[in-house]
Amino acid sequence: MGNYDDAIKAIKLIYKSFPDGYTVNYRLGYLYNVNQNYSNAISHFKSAISASMYSIEPKLGLMLVQMTKGDYQAAEELGHQVLSTDYYNYYANLRLSYVLRMEKKQDLAEKVVLKMLSLYPIDIYFLLEYGLLKMNSHDYELAYMIFSDILILDPENVTANEMLLKINDYSKEFKKTK
């Protein structure tokens, strides 16, 4: 219901009895993250990882916290950890492609995106990442096609609409300079 403080208080009662438990630490990590208490979120996600070192869920949660904080290097490392266990993990690949794009590692981000688009050819989120990568590399023709495809799937998509407007603006500027 969005009352994260009360949810944290309720879980903390259980936490007192099971401070090393996977579930309680994962849930507290999640709750602290959505409540924007990132240091506690990190601590609890790390405790959940310690409780079950091969688990993917807390690594994805921790990855999200690192992305929110702008610690892309830490998020990238977590993404690679998850992919070493589950190569096609949807969220790890999506978040990793975003992180790599933010780190200006365009070629690596594109490899991740294309790998996932081969499995999910009309996935809007991977198409958005691909379109944004093409915008960054000034391949406006391909970006235009990608964002147009997104609008077929999701006509109200804000990002696709904004990027198409930018491409049209770039096109007008280009024509003026000729």
Side-chain angles (χ1 to χ4, degrees):
M1 295 179 59
N3 192 342
Y4 303 119
D5 289 330
D6 284 347
I8 289 168
K9 287 176 189 170
I11 300 289
K12 279 287 202 178
L13 295 173
I14 299 166
Y15 176 78
K16 288 179 183 177
S17 298
F18 304 99
D20 297 326
Y22 174 84
T23 304
V24 70
N25 276 294
Y26 176 80
R27 189 64 181 163
L28 282 170
Y30 168 80
L31 290 169
Y32 279 121
N33 184 43
V34 295
N35 209 26
Q36 299 178 347
N37 184 331
Y38 303 123
S39 60
N40 278 341
I42 290 169
S43 174
H44 286 287
F45 279 134
K46 285 183 176 180
S47 292
I49 292 167
S50 293
S52 180
M53 69 179 183
Y54 296 111
S55 61
I56 290 173
E57 297 158 323
K59 291 175 185 165
L60 290 172
L62 184 54
M63 189 178 186
L64 199 54
V65 175
Q66 301 296 16
M67 290 168 62
T68 301
K69 290 178 57 185
D71 188 353
Y72 298 126
Q73 184 176 354
E76 180 184 349
E77 290 171 17
L78 285 163
H80 289 299
Q81 284 178 26
V82 171
L83 295 181
S84 71
T85 301
D86 183 1
Y87 185 67
Y88 290 106
N89 183 285
Y90 181 88
Y91 292 108
N93 278 290
L94 184 60
R95 292 173 187 170
L96 182 60
S97 66
Y98 171 84
V99 164
L100 292 169
R101 182 169 54 83
M102 293 294 102
E103 293 180 306
K104 308 278 191 256
K105 297 178 180 178
Q106 302 294 112
D107 292 342
L108 294 175
E110 189 169 331
K111 285 179 184 177
V112 172
V113 167
L114 291 175
K115 170 181 78 172
M116 295 306 288
L117 282 172
S118 71
L119 300 174
Y120 304 100
I122 60 169
D123 183 273
I124 289 171
Y125 298 108
F126 282 107
L127 286 170
L128 282 169
E129 280 299 317
Y130 192 37
L132 293 169
L133 286 166
K134 293 294 121 186
M135 289 290 289
N136 289 349
S137 64
H138 307 289
D139 186 347
Y140 300 122
E141 187 174 336
L142 183 51
Y144 185 89
M145 290 172 26
I146 294 165
F147 291 124
S148 296
D149 283 348
I150 291 169
L151 292 181
I152 291 169
L153 302 166
D154 179 9
E156 302 299 317
N157 189 285
V158 173
T159 304
N161 278 305
E162 286 176 2
M163 292 300 111
L164 286 172
L165 287 173
K166 280 188 179 184
I167 292 169
N168 285 333
D169 288 345
Y170 294 149
S171 176
K172 290 175 188 172
E173 285 299 315
F174 181 73
K175 287 177 184 175
K176 285 181 185 176
T177 60
K178 277 193 154 190

